[in-house]
Amino acid sequence: MKAVVLAAGEGRRLEPLTNRRPKPMLPIAGKPLLEYVLEAIVDAGIDEVVFVVGYARDRIQTHFGDGDDWGVDVEYVVQEKQLGTAHAVAQAEAAVNDAFVVLNGDRIIEPSAVTSVAERLARDGGPVMTVTRSADPGAYGVVELDGDRVVDIEEKPREAASELINAGVYGFERSVFDAISETPPDDAGERGIPDTLAGFVADGGVSAVRYGGLWEDVSHLWDVTRVTGHVLDRDGSTRDGDVAETASVADPVHVGAGTSVDANATLRRGCSLGENVSVGANAVLSNAVVLADAVVEDGAVVRDAVVAENAHVGANATVVGGETDVLVDGNLYADVRLGAVVGDNATVGGGTTVAAGTVLGDGSTVEAGCTVSGRVPSDTEVRRG
Amino acid sequence: MCGIIGYISNEDGGNGRDDEHGGGERADGGPTGGGRALPVLVDGLRNLEYRGYDSAGVALVEDDAVAVHKQQGVIDDLALPDAHPATCGVGHTRWSTHGKPTDANAHPHTDCTGDVAVVHNGIIENYDHLRAELEAAGHAFSSETDTEVVPHLLEAELAARREAATDGGRVDEDGDAGGAESAADGDGEPVDDVGPYRTASTSGGFGDVDVVAAVEAVVDRLEGSYAVAVTVAGREELVVARQDSPLVLGLGDGANFVASDVTAFVEHTREVAYLEDGDVARVTGDAVDVRHDGAWVERDRKTVDWEAEAAEKGGYDHYMLKEIYEQPGALRQTLSGRIDEVAGDVDLDVDLPADVLADVEEIQLVACGTSYHAGLYARRLLEEFADVRVTVEVASEYEFTGGRDPWETLVVAVTQSGETADTLSAMRKAAKAGARTLAVTNTVGSTAAREADDALYIRAGPEIGVAATKTFAAQVTALSLLTVHVGRRRGALSSERASHLLENLRGLPGAVQQLLDASDRLQAVASEYVDEDAYFFVGRQLGSAVALEGALKLKEIAYVHAEGFPSGELKHGTLALVTEDTPVLTVLTEGARPKETLNNVKEVESRGAPVIGFSSYDAAANYLDVEIPIPDLGVLEPLVANVGLQLFAYHVANELGRAIDKPRNLAKSVTVE
């Protein structure tokens, strides 16, 4: 049985981190989200994997190559235009022979989700979908069951009829490809898997598998640090690189290869540093995710923040951290823990104070000594006024 | 990473049929006919070369021996008989990250009797313990590899089983009593010999002993990761085992295959079965029997439905593009653990101490092709930062000539493969004259690395595309590290300047990524300027090294006329060729004297030539038809610009439908002078 992984999407809500990489390539504790998905597939005993790629696919292809490093064959099919998850599945038609499982490339799950779908698929045929319980069902696709049968799927309902949500792991037979082509596209011209499933639901044909394991979704910028913390708690510390003896490093943290942490720097729990990162003397990082090639200079304080690839945080700059209210696409999210996001290749000048909730676009520059807050667009320069 | 392959057919031996039918026919039945083991294995190894190419070997099963041919170097250099009657054998291609790729270390490895040959991919973690035990029992080892414990363990195991089975029947000529003893220690599991296993009726040194059971007992003792394939003299069977390393079975008609990757045999069969961790399988020409935890099991048959060649390219159309995109990762490897910005120094594992370097009056860089251009780049850096006189010589032109004291000369040979004949020859001339030599190479234990007094590895990983891309960037990066090493030890480079250069080096992967993120733009530029009469690449200083490299890329993969030279030379001749149909690509960055270069740009612009600028120089914008911005990175900006030139060359060649990974008339490692 093959696994088809949907990894073509951009992840607009995660801008600016997704301006140069697709959402499945967001690093969590040193590995992209998609690698956790692939590991779950491998652990479930599946060794032929089809990645449906599209947006910034070079990032995915360069990281995973032909899958040899994971002992599996990875094949790529391209979804040129992102026209929905069902449309993405349809791109894999030529790459699968018989029944197959489908996973989202940006959700961390455990192998049991894959094995239980595969088993149900083998026993009862498809379609099969996983459901999991959520504290906030209204944010997802809410699923109503009658025994093992799905009776209704409703996307982001105002009033959730159940606490069970679509966990995003599916099992299909090849007949699904006909069903997808018959699924009417929505107003935006997109076809989603739930739309295709709706046709089967009407005939009582969708069987549900209950899943109670780890299920981590990175929907918003502040989820990057949160999910990193959860994964580090689960998997423990990994420390490569060159950490000065006098640096204070708590557990669990991730320190990537070729990374240096200078004298008296402090890494509190939950920090993750990618490869080739430089953390200066006396810098303090707390609940911070720093991507490859970034530099955090001497004495900088970075709390509850994401510092993206090749970004610079100048000496004695302070990312204040803490909880704040953040507006995304017109929705207000209250009390989220988001110190700041410093986009790829952005520079925060020395001594700058970055207020909680600040998002600096990629390539932006903040002059030394500023106080900055809010959203700064890509490639803009912020000067002291 | 290494690659393994095994092949067996049920035809009798004898000189095989010709394999002309292989030319494009994808016969469902796969190959038939005797004597095909050798050509099938060699073809398969060529397809596995992306997994490594620093040594290669095959083992061919004969009635009373296993013929092993192996040596350091690529598969095409392996000395092989023209034909061999074998219908069964294994092969291996190696990429060593630890230990040297010598002939002795090449796979297959054999036991003391020469009756057992093994190929292996993975790492056997407890090999030192096993090796000590085997040596104590009298086994003689001929390599430094972890793998060699496997044939010796198997020898002992088979001998013990033969004695038990025949109740002291036939005795092996060598009478290896020590082996039998050690096997008795490791053995203990009763062998269940029901199931589909059929005893081969052969006359090899190990008679009718159950090889599958012996391999099961041996792999029980191994810790680590492995995919192994075993052949035994006189036995028409392959026995394979897998744990945490890839292994796939190819199921043909009257012939079967095993390999690290489907690409090794996909031209013969598309029917495959994947082994799982802990599986041991016996493969004959017409059967595959798999055991797991002491029981016979079935593994699903599958049909591979994708094009083999596409597989290992990881979704890219060509290796070259894949390797261009691998540059940020490769450069992080080159730098990893070597830079100390705080102290302003580097930590290179080379034996070039201060007292040696203090006496050096001249550094000579010898290299060919792209490596020569890396040398030109490094010359400027060494002269500026390490205050030492540097000459760069095309290796085929090199002589250790007058005016030099060999005791005061350091000769640095730059060669990706470490096997380039011209470069080796130059290095030998220098060594003969008495000069100290250093090899800068991608290939651990290559001839250059072994023969030079010291070696500095660029750590770029295997490069398959004939056109060198990531290795150029990694060579310049490694030579920049060498510059800091030399400059600091000679007292010529302040820790402050060194620290700044190292900061820029640390920023290199991120800057290269920014060019890669602009790939769509370069593709559009290439498609706009694809049909032109000629292309000129100009720059100054570090920019002229990159201009030469940019022109070489375009020439070698797109087959169009391209010339690179210092931009000041335009007005001394070439300007006569500049028209509106000759795009000029120019490097306008730090380290490339952008102000002066811009004057030359104005000259070509006034003659109507389209100008494509790779620029960090704001004043240039008005004079460029296309501006590709280069991030601020000091003297490494031209190296970042070069990534743009690589993408330009790639996309032009792709538009022209060229065979990008294997350009006409060219080979990857040129091992003839």
Side-chain angles (χ1 to χ4, degrees), chain A:
Chain A
M1 188 175 292
K2 286 191 183 184
V4 173
V5 183
L6 309 182
E10 181 176 341
R12 279 274 178 78
R13 276 184 299 186
L14 289 155
E15 281 178 358
L17 297 178
T18 51
N19 283 351
R20 289 162 184 270
R21 64 178 67 72
K23 182 176 163 192
M25 290 305 286
L26 284 178
I28 300 294
K31 290 189 284 195
L33 275 171
L34 182 53
E35 190 167 338
Y36 292 95
V37 178
L38 182 62
E39 285 174 348
I41 291 168
V42 172
D43 289 345
I46 293 180
D47 51 19
E48 288 177 280
V49 185
V50 180
F51 282 175
V52 182
V53 293
Y55 175 71
R57 65 189 174 100
D58 58 286
R59 297 282 188 143
I60 294 174
Q61 293 173 189
T62 297
H63 186 83
F64 292 96
D66 61 358
D68 265 0
D69 290 350
W70 293 265
V72 295
D73 280 325
V74 172
E75 179 186 1
Y76 299 88
V77 298
V78 181
Q79 184 190 22
E80 296 288 355
K81 279 192 179 157
Q82 278 74 66
L83 296 174
T85 49
H87 178 261
V89 172
Q91 309 310 306
E93 182 166 1
V96 295
N97 311 317
D98 39 33
F100 58 100
V101 295
V102 171
L103 296 95
N104 283 317
D106 54 11
R107 298 262 167 83
I108 297 181
I109 48 135
E110 288 171 11
S112 65
V114 185
T115 42
S116 53
V117 167
E119 280 162 14
R120 179 70 64 82
L121 190 57
R123 195 188 76 191
D124 295 353
V128 179
M129 71 184 293
T130 41
V131 295
T132 193
R133 218 176 133 202
S134 168
D136 181 22
Y140 301 97
V142 172
V143 183
E144 267 186 88
L145 298 184
D146 175 11
D148 280 348
R149 294 286 127 187
V150 176
V151 294
D152 192 30
I153 309 172
E154 203 181 348
E155 284 304 308
K156 298 180 185 167
R158 212 169 272 275
E159 296 263 324
S162 93
E163 289 175 5
L164 294 179
I165 60 162
N166 177 357
V169 183
Y170 309 93
F172 293 118
E173 291 164 299
R174 282 188 59 85
S175 60
V176 77
F177 295 119
D178 290 336
I180 291 171
S181 63
E182 286 158 15
T183 304
D186 67 12
D187 298 343
E190 298 186 1
R191 295 180 171 92
I193 291 175
D195 304 332
T196 301
L197 285 174
F200 289 95
V201 168
D203 305 334
V206 180
S207 116
V209 175
R210 287 179 174 79
Y211 170 68
L214 182 76
W215 191 84
E216 293 283 7
D217 181 41
V218 180
S219 299
H220 295 288
L221 290 170
W222 52 89
D223 292 326
V224 175
T225 48
R226 183 182 60 79
V227 174
T228 297
H230 289 188
V231 169
L232 285 171
D233 285 343
R234 183 189 70 171
D235 296 348
S237 286
T238 40
R239 294 190 197 178
D240 291 319
D242 183 12
V243 178
E245 266 178 42
T246 55
S248 159
V249 181
D251 281 311
V253 294
H254 168 79
V255 179
T259 284
S260 69
V261 178
D262 201 359
N264 299 318
T266 301
L267 300 184
R268 299 230 175 87
R269 64 143 291 284
C271 285
S272 171
L273 311 181
E275 286 181 47
N276 189 38
V277 166
S278 170
V279 175
N282 297 319
V284 178
L285 278 70
S286 172
N287 194 34
V289 172
V290 183
L291 275 53
D293 309 326
V295 176
V296 177
E297 291 183 355
D298 298 348
V301 175
V302 181
R303 303 171 63 191
D304 306 322
V306 180
V307 178
E309 229 168 81
N310 200 38
H312 275 65
V313 177
N316 285 325
T318 301
V319 177
V320 177
E323 293 187 346
T324 182
D325 299 344
V326 178
L327 195 66
V328 181
D329 288 345
N331 296 319
L332 184 72
Y333 295 84
D335 298 335
V336 297
R337 186 164 283 278
L338 180 69
V341 172
V342 181
D344 292 70
N345 310 312
T347 302
V348 177
T352 287
T353 301
V354 181
T358 302
V359 177
L360 301 175
D362 48 343
S364 63
T365 310
V366 180
E367 201 184 32
C370 292
T371 298
V372 62
S373 61
R375 268 199 182 250
V376 174
S378 295
D379 298 313
T380 32
E381 214 171 308
V382 178
R383 293 214 176 92
R384 256 183 307 176

Side-chain angles (χ1 to χ4, degrees), chain A residues 20 62 68 73 97 293, chain B residues 51 274 305 316 332 506 517:
Chain A
R20 289 162 184 270
T62 297
D68 265 0
D73 280 325
N97 311 317
D293 309 326
Chain B
R51 301 180 65 91
Y274 289 89
D305 50 9
Y316 288 105
R332 286 181 201 124
R506 193 189 279 283
D517 290 343

Side-chain angles (χ1 to χ4, degrees), chain B residues 220-234:
Chain B
D220 271 352
R221 304 204 56 205
L222 304 180
E223 289 164 19
S225 62
Y226 50 81
V228 291
V230 172
T231 53
V232 177

Side-chain angles (χ1 to χ4, degrees), chain B residues 36 47 54 57 70 81 84 88-89 99 132 136 157 251 271 300 335 351 420 431 499 501 562 649:
Chain B
R36 296 211 55 223
N47 291 332
D54 66 29
K70 62 179 190 175
H84 190 282
C88 172
E157 188 65 39
L251 311 169
E271 293 293 310
D300 293 346
L335 296 171
D351 182 24
T420 308
S499 184
L501 180 56

